[in-house]
Amino acid sequence: MINLILFGPPGSGKGTQASNLVEKYNLLHISTGDLFRFNLKNNTPLGEEARSYIDKGELVPDAVTIKMLKAKVEENPDVKGFIFDGYPRTIPQSEALNEFLQEKGEKVSKLVMLDVPDEELMSRLLNRGKTSGRADDLDSDIIQNRLNVYKETTFPVFNFYLKDNTSVKVWGVGPLDTIFQRLCLEIDSI
Ligand code: AMP
């Protein structure tokens, strides 16, 4: 089973590349951001709980996020593997994922980080905001907050998985199909 973490800052192209990878490798794509947005749109209690954090570009508390992630995995017992996109974003989320997979006799196969410079991220996100309908893509202060949260709280997850050689970086700038090929090379070597 492949358990791939597609990692990287907001705007690094995780969602775009995940859709291509899903097709090629037949994995289930789990984006915690998409799951939260689905709940926001449908005004569920989970959506209500998450709303204030998402609107400010803060992380939703670990307990809520971990529970949602586990439920999604449990709903899909028969898949060939997972692409975790936007999860884990904190060390406690990483520990919870490891423990959860271990209970199933599984582990994280690889963490692949899409590496993109900051200036490029800001302009990509502002540009995406014109069409994404996402309030958190429209305001440069909120975007900056998301980038800061990534650096301070989320980037340590890369080093957490580096300890057992599970983390690699892939250059996330260039034509989409070139970036896709770089990702495929990493996945094919699992
Ligand atoms: P994304 O679509 O991955 O950029 O996520 C959008 C927003 O959803 C983030 O800014 C957070 O507020 C929330 N979110 C998504 N994934 C997580 C996570 N793993 N932990 C905490 N909050 C998250």
Side-chain angles (χ1 to χ4, degrees):
M1 193 165 183
I2 294 183
N3 296 296
L4 179 78
I5 300 176
L6 193 53
F7 193 76
S12 56
K14 301 186 295 293
T16 308
Q17 293 295 344
S19 327
N20 298 334
L21 292 171
V22 160
E23 245 178 73
K24 174 160 179 181
Y25 294 97
N26 201 12
L27 304 169
L28 183 75
H29 175 207
I30 302 185
S31 154
T32 42
D34 285 350
L35 290 175
F36 282 129
R37 279 184 289 279
F38 176 83
N39 279 279
L40 284 177
K41 204 168 126 208
N42 291 287
N43 293 311
T44 68
L46 176 63
E48 287 313 311
E49 199 172 353
R51 187 181 303 279
S52 62
Y53 300 97
I54 295 175
D55 285 352
K56 283 186 266 178
E58 301 285 343
L59 294 181
V60 178
D62 284 336
V64 177
T65 309
I66 292 167
K67 190 170 158 205
M68 177 178 77
L69 188 277
K70 285 185 178 175
K72 190 70 190 175
V73 171
E74 298 290 12
E75 269 171 31
N76 294 279
D78 298 322
V79 296
K80 273 180 60 186
F82 297 95
I83 298 181
F84 298 106
D85 159 7
Y87 185 98
R89 260 168 148 107
T90 65
I91 298 295
Q93 289 182 19
S94 314
E95 289 166 344
L97 180 64
N98 282 1
E99 209 173 291
F100 181 54
L101 290 177
Q102 204 177 358
E103 283 164 13
K104 300 176 180 303
E106 292 289 334
K107 66 184 181 71
V108 170
S109 316
K110 205 167 230 186
L111 177 153
V112 186
M113 174 184 161
L114 284 165
D115 194 12
V116 177
D118 273 4
E119 317 77 68
E120 168 100 9
L121 295 170
M122 179 58 89
S123 76
R124 281 190 192 180
L125 288 165
L126 284 170
N127 209 30
R128 184 170 84 181
K130 293 178 194 158
T131 53
S132 70
R134 285 179 55 170
D136 61 348
D137 282 346
L138 282 173
D139 179 310
S140 58
D141 288 343
I142 295 177
I143 293 177
Q144 191 55 55
N145 194 35
R146 288 162 64 204
L147 295 175
N148 294 345
V149 167
Y150 172 78
K151 273 200 193 128
E152 282 156 30
T153 311
T154 302
F155 184 73
V157 169
F158 180 85
N159 292 329
F160 177 88
Y161 284 103
L162 197 58
K163 277 185 283 179
D164 38 50
N165 284 328
T166 312
S167 292
V168 290
K169 278 187 195 176
V170 154
W171 186 234
V173 181
L176 287 182
D177 53 342
T178 308
I179 301 170
F180 180 63
Q181 293 310 325
R182 291 177 193 142
L183 289 171
C184 292
L185 274 180
E186 291 300 340
I187 297 171
D188 292 339
S189 72
I190 287 173

